[in-house]
Amino acid sequence: AYAERLLANHHLRGQFAFLLTAEDVARSKPDPEIYLKAAARFGVDPAAMLVLEDSVAGITAARVQAAQSRVARADAALDVAKARRTALV
């Protein structure tokens, strides 16, 4: 709901084929469920996905899911050393 409103307020909702949020999964990151659902909706092999993330839990989830998606975005809030230990690409 929040993501829908945020994107709609900025006239961006139509730019996305679909949205998946925490509301759409039973298990949160670092569980890879959300990435596996996204891959299924796109009809692609999860390992072929490019994932942009800003948290260690998200990076871990992306790397765990079907092993080896290309991942990452580091920012000031991210513990880069910890992310590297988690296999940040």
Side-chain angles (χ1 to χ4, degrees):
Y2 172 75
E4 291 274 352
R5 285 192 312 271
L6 180 66
L7 292 171
N9 287 343
H10 294 282
H11 309 288
L12 294 171
R13 179 57 190 99
Q15 301 301 309
F16 297 87
F18 60 86
L19 295 179
L20 288 175
T21 69
E23 297 166 347
D24 299 306
V25 295
R27 296 172 308 277
S28 62
K29 298 172 191 172
D31 188 279
E33 179 183 7
I34 198 161
Y35 295 115
L36 297 173
K37 280 190 172 193
R41 285 210 188 161
F42 276 122
V44 300
D45 179 350
M49 291 173 46
L50 170 65
V51 177
L52 303 177
E53 259 301 340
D54 64 352
S55 72
V56 171
I59 291 167
T60 301
R63 295 292 294 176
V64 167
Q65 62 85 15
Q68 311 311 317
S69 283
R70 300 300 168 243
V71 108
R73 174 181 166 247
D75 65 16
L78 178 63
D79 179 343
V80 174
K82 186 174 181 182
R84 284 192 179 122
R85 290 190 302 272
T86 310
L88 172 68
V89 174

